[in-house]
Short mmCIF file of all heavy atoms in Angstrom, two decimals:
data_model
loop_
_atom_site.label_atom_id
_atom_site.label_comp_id
_atom_site.label_asym_id
_atom_site.label_seq_id
_atom_site.Cartn_x
_atom_site.Cartn_y
_atom_site.Cartn_z
N ILE X 1 8.36 12.10 12.90
CA ILE X 1 7.23 12.98 13.12
C ILE X 1 6.16 12.64 12.09
O ILE X 1 6.41 12.71 10.89
CB ILE X 1 7.64 14.46 12.98
CG1 ILE X 1 8.71 14.83 14.03
CG2 ILE X 1 6.44 15.38 13.14
CD1 ILE X 1 9.21 16.26 13.90
N SER X 2 4.98 12.28 12.55
CA SER X 2 3.91 11.88 11.63
C SER X 2 3.47 13.05 10.78
O SER X 2 3.21 14.15 11.28
CB SER X 2 2.71 11.35 12.41
OG SER X 2 3.05 10.14 13.07
N MET X 3 3.35 12.81 9.47
CA MET X 3 2.82 13.81 8.55
C MET X 3 1.40 13.47 8.11
O MET X 3 0.73 14.30 7.50
CB MET X 3 3.72 13.93 7.32
CG MET X 3 5.13 14.44 7.63
SD MET X 3 6.00 14.97 6.13
CE MET X 3 6.15 13.41 5.26
N THR X 4 0.97 12.25 8.41
CA THR X 4 -0.37 11.83 8.01
C THR X 4 -0.87 10.76 8.97
O THR X 4 -0.08 10.12 9.67
CB THR X 4 -0.35 11.27 6.57
OG1 THR X 4 -1.68 10.97 6.15
CG2 THR X 4 0.49 10.01 6.47
N ASP X 5 -2.16 10.59 8.99
CA ASP X 5 -2.76 9.50 9.75
C ASP X 5 -2.59 8.22 8.92
O ASP X 5 -3.17 8.08 7.83
CB ASP X 5 -4.24 9.79 9.98
CG ASP X 5 -4.91 8.76 10.87
OD1 ASP X 5 -4.25 7.76 11.24
OD2 ASP X 5 -6.11 8.92 11.19
N LYS X 6 -1.78 7.30 9.42
CA LYS X 6 -1.44 6.09 8.65
C LYS X 6 -2.53 5.03 8.71
O LYS X 6 -2.55 4.11 7.89
CB LYS X 6 -0.13 5.49 9.17
CG LYS X 6 1.06 6.41 9.12
CD LYS X 6 2.27 5.75 9.75
CE LYS X 6 3.46 6.68 9.83
NZ LYS X 6 4.62 6.05 10.52
N ARG X 7 -3.42 5.13 9.67
CA ARG X 7 -4.36 4.04 9.94
C ARG X 7 -5.27 3.68 8.77
O ARG X 7 -5.58 2.50 8.56
CB ARG X 7 -5.19 4.36 11.19
CG ARG X 7 -4.35 4.40 12.46
CD ARG X 7 -5.14 4.96 13.64
NE ARG X 7 -5.51 6.36 13.41
CZ ARG X 7 -6.17 7.10 14.29
NH1 ARG X 7 -6.55 6.56 15.45
NH2 ARG X 7 -6.46 8.35 14.04
N PRO X 8 -5.74 4.65 7.95
CA PRO X 8 -6.67 4.27 6.88
C PRO X 8 -6.02 3.53 5.71
O PRO X 8 -6.74 3.01 4.86
CB PRO X 8 -7.23 5.62 6.40
CG PRO X 8 -6.92 6.59 7.50
CD PRO X 8 -5.65 6.09 8.09
N PHE X 9 -4.68 3.48 5.64
CA PHE X 9 -4.03 2.99 4.44
C PHE X 9 -3.40 1.61 4.64
O PHE X 9 -2.82 1.32 5.69
CB PHE X 9 -2.94 3.97 4.00
CG PHE X 9 -3.46 5.35 3.69
CD1 PHE X 9 -3.13 6.43 4.50
CD2 PHE X 9 -4.29 5.56 2.61
CE1 PHE X 9 -3.61 7.69 4.23
CE2 PHE X 9 -4.78 6.82 2.32
CZ PHE X 9 -4.44 7.89 3.13
N LYS X 10 -3.50 0.80 3.61
CA LYS X 10 -2.84 -0.49 3.59
C LYS X 10 -2.47 -0.83 2.15
O LYS X 10 -3.34 -0.85 1.26
CB LYS X 10 -3.72 -1.59 4.18
CG LYS X 10 -2.97 -2.91 4.37
CD LYS X 10 -3.78 -3.93 5.15
CE LYS X 10 -2.98 -5.21 5.37
NZ LYS X 10 -3.75 -6.22 6.14
N VAL X 11 -1.19 -1.09 1.92
CA VAL X 11 -0.72 -1.41 0.58
C VAL X 11 -1.34 -2.73 0.13
O VAL X 11 -1.32 -3.72 0.86
CB VAL X 11 0.82 -1.49 0.56
CG1 VAL X 11 1.32 -1.91 -0.83
CG2 VAL X 11 1.43 -0.15 0.97
N GLY X 12 -1.88 -2.73 -1.07
CA GLY X 12 -2.55 -3.91 -1.60
C GLY X 12 -4.03 -3.96 -1.30
O GLY X 12 -4.75 -4.77 -1.88
N VAL X 13 -4.48 -3.08 -0.40
CA VAL X 13 -5.91 -3.02 -0.06
C VAL X 13 -6.53 -1.75 -0.64
O VAL X 13 -7.49 -1.81 -1.41
CB VAL X 13 -6.12 -3.10 1.46
CG1 VAL X 13 -7.61 -2.92 1.81
CG2 VAL X 13 -5.60 -4.42 2.00
N ASN X 14 -5.98 -0.59 -0.29
CA ASN X 14 -6.47 0.65 -0.89
C ASN X 14 -5.34 1.49 -1.50
O ASN X 14 -5.55 2.64 -1.89
CB ASN X 14 -7.29 1.48 0.10
CG ASN X 14 -6.53 1.77 1.39
OD1 ASN X 14 -5.34 1.47 1.51
ND2 ASN X 14 -7.22 2.34 2.36
N LEU X 15 -4.15 0.94 -1.55
CA LEU X 15 -3.01 1.51 -2.28
C LEU X 15 -2.40 0.39 -3.13
O LEU X 15 -2.39 -0.77 -2.70
CB LEU X 15 -1.95 2.06 -1.32
CG LEU X 15 -2.34 3.20 -0.39
CD1 LEU X 15 -1.23 3.45 0.62
CD2 LEU X 15 -2.64 4.47 -1.16
N ALA X 16 -1.87 0.74 -4.30
CA ALA X 16 -1.27 -0.26 -5.18
C ALA X 16 -2.25 -1.39 -5.49
O ALA X 16 -1.95 -2.57 -5.28
CB ALA X 16 0.01 -0.82 -4.56
N THR X 17 -3.41 -1.03 -6.00
CA THR X 17 -4.48 -2.01 -6.20
C THR X 17 -4.73 -2.37 -7.67
O THR X 17 -5.63 -3.17 -7.94
CB THR X 17 -5.79 -1.49 -5.60
OG1 THR X 17 -6.14 -0.25 -6.22
CG2 THR X 17 -5.66 -1.30 -4.10
N THR X 18 -4.00 -1.79 -8.60
CA THR X 18 -4.20 -2.18 -10.00
C THR X 18 -3.90 -3.66 -10.16
O THR X 18 -2.81 -4.12 -9.76
CB THR X 18 -3.30 -1.34 -10.93
OG1 THR X 18 -3.61 0.05 -10.75
CG2 THR X 18 -3.52 -1.71 -12.39
N PRO X 19 -4.82 -4.44 -10.72
CA PRO X 19 -4.63 -5.90 -10.82
C PRO X 19 -3.42 -6.27 -11.67
O PRO X 19 -3.14 -5.63 -12.69
CB PRO X 19 -5.92 -6.39 -11.46
CG PRO X 19 -6.93 -5.32 -11.18
CD PRO X 19 -6.15 -4.03 -11.20
N GLY X 20 -2.72 -7.29 -11.24
CA GLY X 20 -1.56 -7.78 -11.97
C GLY X 20 -0.94 -8.94 -11.25
O GLY X 20 -1.51 -9.48 -10.29
N ALA X 21 0.26 -9.33 -11.70
CA ALA X 21 0.94 -10.49 -11.10
C ALA X 21 2.44 -10.28 -11.15
O ALA X 21 2.97 -9.67 -12.09
CB ALA X 21 0.57 -11.77 -11.84
N VAL X 22 3.12 -10.80 -10.13
CA VAL X 22 4.57 -10.86 -10.15
C VAL X 22 4.96 -12.00 -11.08
O VAL X 22 4.56 -13.15 -10.86
CB VAL X 22 5.14 -11.10 -8.74
CG1 VAL X 22 6.65 -11.28 -8.80
CG2 VAL X 22 4.78 -9.95 -7.81
N VAL X 23 5.73 -11.69 -12.13
CA VAL X 23 6.09 -12.71 -13.11
C VAL X 23 7.58 -13.04 -13.09
O VAL X 23 8.04 -13.92 -13.82
CB VAL X 23 5.67 -12.28 -14.53
CG1 VAL X 23 4.14 -12.23 -14.65
CG2 VAL X 23 6.27 -10.92 -14.88
N PHE X 24 8.33 -12.32 -12.25
CA PHE X 24 9.76 -12.61 -12.11
C PHE X 24 10.23 -12.08 -10.77
O PHE X 24 9.77 -11.04 -10.30
CB PHE X 24 10.57 -11.94 -13.24
CG PHE X 24 12.06 -12.09 -13.08
CD1 PHE X 24 12.69 -13.27 -13.40
CD2 PHE X 24 12.82 -11.03 -12.59
CE1 PHE X 24 14.07 -13.41 -13.23
CE2 PHE X 24 14.19 -11.16 -12.42
CZ PHE X 24 14.81 -12.35 -12.75
N ARG X 25 11.16 -12.82 -10.17
CA ARG X 25 11.75 -12.38 -8.91
C ARG X 25 13.20 -12.85 -8.86
O ARG X 25 13.50 -14.00 -9.17
CB ARG X 25 10.97 -12.95 -7.72
CG ARG X 25 11.52 -12.52 -6.35
CD ARG X 25 10.81 -13.25 -5.21
NE ARG X 25 9.40 -12.89 -5.09
CZ ARG X 25 8.42 -13.77 -5.13
NH1 ARG X 25 8.67 -15.07 -5.28
NH2 ARG X 25 7.16 -13.37 -5.00
#
C-alpha cells in the first residue's frame, strides 16, 4: 500500500546526494 508518491524521488539524484566515494567493497 503506497504511503507516498514515489515519482519525485531518485536515490543519488535528490536523495543521498552528499558528495563522496566508495573506497572499499
Side-chain angles (χ1 to χ4, degrees):
I1 298 177
S2 294
M3 296 195 295
T4 185
D5 185 355
K6 301 176 185 177
R7 294 170 296 182
F9 300 112
K10 189 171 183 180
V11 177
V13 176
N14 55 7
L15 298 171
T17 59
T18 301
V22 175
V23 293
F24 174 78
R25 181 187 294 123

